[in-house]
Amino acid sequence: MTSTVPASLTRSAESSALQAVFLDMDGTLVDTEGFWWEAERDVFADLGHELDEAWRDVVVGGPMTRSAGYLIEVTGADIALPELTVLLNDRFEKRIASGVPLMPGAERLLAELAEHRVPTALVSASHRRIIDRVLDSLGPQNFQLSIAGDEVARTKPHPDPYLLAARGVGAEPARCAVIEDTATGVASAEAAGCRVVAVPSVAPIAPAVGRAVVGSLEEVDLPFLRGLITSMN
């Protein structure tokens, strides 16, 4: 049967369509931001230093090298960055050994994206060893690929992780929706040219052009994500 839809309209619809969804991990899909802070606090207590609660907003959502480096600087702890990174990952991995709690709405959203065969990627600043453990709780079948912070030369807030994800699924960054919980992650996604849904976990995030801010993943579904793309055309 011959289509009666003009080719120009078909091309326009295709160019405005959602092509992929990329999701952050800690604080976005799994309720682990508190686990990271507890791991950092415990490791530094073993080193003889008490972490100030105000520092939590600084380290949340950042790559391990930045967060750990900042804590070494402000505490004056006598430890090298590579050694501290191992200790933090070890302590965090012990905390999630029995699984991690999913954020409200996460399981439903991942199931909806899978049902509609929307290309989906997990994009995190956490290291590969941590991502692979958390994927046991999230379901690796829900993602076409995953990108870890120790697998890119420049992780968040640089655009590299999301540009790599877009290339990996064959999508245009401007046609990709990203879900993030921190300013660092939002900056990364927006620098890559993606549309962002911010679900703040620790520190507030302001709305902006091309960015929606919601209270939880329970407010996010596939029509919402599609609308984020089409509203920019």
Side-chain angles (χ1 to χ4, degrees):
M1 180 178 178
T2 302
S3 173
T4 59
V5 179
S8 61
L9 292 181
T10 302
R11 286 194 297 270
S12 176
E14 290 175 349
S15 67
S16 65
L18 174 70
Q19 294 181 349
V21 176
F22 306 142
L23 303 105
D24 173 57
M25 188 176 76
D26 296 296
T28 299
L29 287 175
V30 290
D31 191 7
T32 50
E33 292 290 13
F35 289 2
W36 275 115
W37 179 245
E38 290 170 6
E40 290 160 345
R41 190 178 56 197
D42 291 351
V43 167
F44 274 88
D46 291 344
L47 296 171
H49 298 274
E50 182 178 351
L51 298 187
D52 189 315
E53 192 71 23
W55 299 338
R56 184 177 179 183
D57 287 354
V58 179
V59 300
V60 67
M64 176 72 75
T65 52
R66 190 198 74 184
S67 300
Y70 172 82
L71 292 175
I72 290 174
E73 179 182 352
V74 294
T75 61
D78 184 19
I79 187 171
L81 182 59
E83 181 184 357
L84 177 58
T85 296
V86 171
L87 291 177
L88 290 173
N89 276 324
D90 286 347
R91 190 65 61 97
F92 181 79
E93 196 165 2
K94 287 180 181 178
R95 287 188 172 273
I96 64 171
S98 59
V100 294
L102 271 60
M103 298 296 283
E107 185 175 10
R108 187 265 314 153
L109 177 59
L110 290 175
E112 183 180 11
L113 294 174
E115 179 184 356
H116 292 272
R117 298 183 179 180
V118 178
T120 306
L122 184 66
V123 182
S124 175
S126 290
H127 289 189
R128 170 55 57 187
R129 60 180 285 196
I130 301 300
I131 287 181
D132 287 346
R133 179 61 66 90
V134 174
L135 277 171
D136 291 340
S137 296
L138 287 173
Q141 72 279 2
N142 289 316
F143 305 95
Q144 276 63 57
L145 75 154
S146 58
I147 295 173
D150 57 341
E151 295 174 338
V152 291
R154 301 189 309 168
T155 188
K156 304 173 187 180
H158 298 287
D160 305 36
Y162 284 111
L163 292 174
L164 183 60
R167 287 196 298 271
V169 300
E172 302 172 43
R175 305 302 171 197
C176 298
V178 170
I179 305 178
E180 276 278 2
D181 72 305
T182 67
T184 300
V186 168
S188 173
E190 292 182 343
C194 303
R195 308 305 178 198
V196 176
V197 180
V199 192
S201 62
V202 176
I205 299 172
V209 175
R211 178 197 311 167
V213 180
V214 299
S216 81
L217 290 179
E218 293 183 317
E219 301 176 42
V220 181
D221 56 16
L222 186 52
F224 180 95
L225 295 172
R226 285 172 172 161
L228 190 67
I229 302 300
T230 57
S231 67
M232 298 303 296
N233 297 292

